Amino acid sequence: MKFAKSVSGLRGEITVPGDKSISHRSVMFGSIARGTTEIRNYLQGADCLSTISCFRAMGIDIENKGNVVLVHGKGLHGLTRPKQVLDCGNSGTTTRLISGILAGQNFDVTLTGDASIQKRPMKRIIEPLSLMGADIASVKGNGCAPLKISGRPLHGISYTSRVASAQVKSAILLAGLYADGETRVTEPYLSRNHSEIMLNYFGADVRTELPAAASGSLKSGSRENAPDCSEPGILKSTPAPASPVSGVTAVIQPADELHGGLVEVPGDISSAAFFLCAGLMVPGSEILIRNAGTNPTRAGILDVVRNMGGDIALINETAGSGEPTADILVRHSSLHGTVIEGALIPTLIDELPMIAAMACLADGDTVIRDAAELKVKESNRIAVMTENLTAMGADVTETEDGMIIRGGKTLHGAVIDSHLDHRIAMTFAVLGLCADGETEILGAECVNISYPNFYEDLQKLTKK
Ligand code: S3P
């Protein structure tokens, strides 16, 4: 797939597909809830289709009608042993979250995924789930998938995770539903809280304890706890803390039953990020991104863009779907470098490739640190970004836990190896619009993982 400099700017409106993290959770939690869960705006990307097929393989009737998905849940103990190995495809979220659910079942199962999934670290869930009494092992003994899980009675634990990871936190919370007592998971910084919000909405008892310096305890998303809830059955939440805080604990009580409901999935801020940055980067651009999720535990890119001098405005802000959303108006801006570190990192972890590329067009240096997690994503995103940005003429230094980008160099087109990482492919499709000459992306079709129509949508904006 090839991209060339856009001279006239990107103009128009875009509605990005549904949030990947929330889509996964809606099918998973809907499957182990009682009743039917109606999911609107479900992401039809390959990752979320993997989640649907895993739960179908465990006896759940899931009607995928395109924009609406109906999950006919069978309750916490209603899953049945799959006949085959569960295939999680390229999806880390499917692999890790499903492990938390499988740990508490009364059957055994093996799960695996593609070549990338079989290289991603699973010890981070094997360790805490084993402490809860789960029988879970890496089949090859290398700490990666395939994983063999034999369901067992589980115990509540108090666990401190070294990484701020919503996948780790969620796996433990899901196992905690099946445990014999309270389960606590502390992470260094608050990671995305979609599980907490949706589990509460489905009737579980999950709360978030903030450090003393912040504001005590927070219960997000419960139906009772949603004073602005005007339409019964619509997912609502109390908002997450406005800014990230350190040392956060999620606490869950064992559940007797979850209850399905209506889930309206907001547009994925991680997909919106490509248009947000494209609008800022390509001269002459003005783009309105409709209905993007702006949950503060996910939307750190908005802070970074503002820090870099980007002209963005949030309009039509709503909390009406349990997860806050807004339309984002973005105009081309002259940008300057910034520092991205600490508690901000988990709130924009998937956007860092795009932000690093954008920093190449900014005046001055951008420093990204505390982001070693980038090395264990769908590709090693520190190495792959450094290699590809350098190929386009950018001045980038790879560090142990991030990158230093010296902005302002003239970029030229190059052949980009996506390493079959969807976010790398989309990042360079955007950066190609800002470089002299042609940029060719190898493995471009991998955008199918999270945004099947990405290139068509980008193309539409160049035609306005
Ligand atoms: C996700 C959490 C993040 C993110 C991933 C989706 C989730 O991973 O990078 O794309 O849905 O919980 P980690 O929890 O490993 O940081």
Side-chain angles (χ1 to χ4, degrees):
M1 181 88 56
K2 293 181 178 161
F3 296 86
K5 196 161 187 164
S6 168
V7 277
S8 54
L10 305 180
R11 300 194 150 260
E13 281 187 26
I14 179 96
T15 304
V16 294
D19 185 277
K20 183 156 78 67
S21 295
I22 297 173
S23 293
H24 281 301
R25 285 159 172 80
S26 61
V27 162
M28 293 185 188
F29 305 174
S31 295
I32 57 170
R34 284 272 167 212
T36 297
T37 291
E38 177 180 339
I39 309 162
R40 297 187 185 155
N41 199 30
Y42 189 81
L43 171 61
Q44 299 288 331
D47 267 11
C48 295
L49 297 179
S50 294
T51 292
I52 289 184
S53 73
C54 286
F55 281 88
R56 279 183 177 153
M58 291 190 286
I60 303 298
D61 176 14
I62 302 173
E63 297 176 70
N64 187 354
K65 302 177 172 187
N67 214 25
V68 174
V69 172
L70 297 178
V71 181
H72 301 286
K74 291 192 172 168
L76 282 167
H77 301 282
L79 301 177
T80 51
R81 184 176 187 272
K83 293 193 178 71
Q84 290 119 5
V85 168
L86 289 181
D87 184 359
C88 302
N90 189 247
S91 173
T93 308
T94 310
T95 312
R96 296 197 177 106
L97 269 62
I98 216 172
S99 297
I101 294 173
L102 294 173
Q105 304 303 314
N106 59 4
F107 53 80
D108 53 73
V109 56
T110 301
L111 50 96
T112 191
D114 67 8
S116 155
I117 270 295
Q118 293 189 40
K119 285 194 217 122
R120 297 185 65 186
M122 294 297 152
K123 276 193 192 139
R124 53 182 58 195
I125 55 155
I126 294 175
E127 181 183 283
L129 292 177
S130 301
L131 288 170
M132 294 179 82
D135 182 354
I136 170 170
S138 159
V139 171
K140 294 181 183 161
N142 61 356
C144 300
L147 299 176
K148 181 158 191 300
I149 304 176
S150 304
R152 290 271 182 281
L154 301 177
H155 311 295
I157 56 167
S158 186
Y159 185 74
T160 300
S161 172
R162 283 178 295 277
V163 284
S165 160
Q167 294 181 358
V168 172
K169 173 176 64 177
S170 302
I172 299 168
L173 292 178
L174 287 166
L177 290 171
Y178 295 90
D180 57 5
E182 178 177 281
T183 296
R184 305 172 62 84
V185 46
T186 301
E187 50 184 350
Y189 300 115
L190 181 60
S191 64
R192 64 191 68 187
N193 63 355
H194 305 305
S195 293
E196 295 90 308
I197 291 174
M198 200 184 294
L199 282 171
N200 272 328
Y201 171 68
F202 278 19
D205 180 352
V206 192
R207 64 175 201 278
T208 303
E209 289 178 3
L210 307 175
S215 50
S217 179
L218 174 85
K219 181 164 176 169
S220 9
S222 68
R223 291 178 216 198
E224 315 79 66
N225 202 25
D228 58 343
C229 184
S230 51
E231 199 181 331
I234 303 251
L235 177 57
K236 298 274 182 183
S237 77
T238 48
S243 58
V245 288
S246 294
V248 185
T249 304
V251 187
I252 191 163
Q253 307 301 327
D256 292 329
E257 212 61 270
L258 301 180
H259 305 282
L262 174 61
V263 177
E264 302 226 48
V265 182
D268 196 323
I269 184 74
S270 300
S271 298
F274 297 106
F275 300 105
L276 184 63
C277 294
L280 294 166
M281 291 159 70
V282 179
S285 297
E286 181 170 318
I287 306 174
L288 182 63
I289 305 165
R290 292 268 187 213
N291 187 37
T294 52
N295 178 327
T297 67
R298 274 294 292 287
I301 187 170
L302 301 176
D303 298 328
V304 167
V305 160
R306 289 190 189 104
N307 288 344
M308 295 178 81
D311 179 358
I312 56 166
L314 265 52
I315 42 187
N316 298 325
E317 287 187 79
T318 161
S321 64
E323 295 272 355
T325 64
D327 297 339
I328 307 172
L329 180 64
V330 52
R331 295 194 188 90
H332 171 253
S333 306
S334 68
L335 302 170
H336 49 79
T338 188
V339 177
I340 307 167
E341 62 186 347
L344 201 51
I345 295 293
T347 71
L348 45 64
I349 188 74
D350 292 339
E351 290 65 78
L352 284 170
M354 189 65 250
I355 291 171
M358 180 168 67
C360 296
L361 304 190
D363 278 341
D365 296 355
T366 293
V367 179
I368 300 171
R369 59 169 83 99
D370 305 324
E373 277 297 289
L374 287 178
K375 295 181 186 167
V376 292
K377 293 294 176 189
E378 286 84 329
S379 68
N380 176 341
R381 288 181 177 163
I382 297 182
V384 170
M385 282 306 299
T386 306
E387 162 197 314
N388 285 322
L389 289 176
T390 305
M392 292 181 77
D395 182 350
V396 185
T397 305
E398 177 176 348
T399 65
E400 255 315 291
D401 63 352
M403 282 168 263
I404 301 167
I405 301 127
R406 291 168 209 87
K409 302 281 175 292
T410 302
L411 302 180
H412 51 77
V415 176
I416 299 300
D417 186 348
S418 70
H419 292 254
L420 299 182
D421 181 334
H422 54 134
R423 302 209 193 275
I424 300 292
M426 290 188 271
T427 293
F428 284 93
V430 171
L431 194 60
L433 303 177
C434 307
D436 292 334
E438 208 171 62
T439 296
E440 183 178 357
I441 299 172
L442 306 178
E445 68 288 350
C446 65
V447 302
N448 190 40
I449 291 295
S450 64
Y451 197 157
N453 293 326
F454 174 74
Y455 300 118
E456 291 83 347
D457 284 356
L458 186 61
Q459 186 72 30
K460 277 185 213 148
L461 293 174
T462 60
K463 288 199 175 131
K464 295 272 153 101

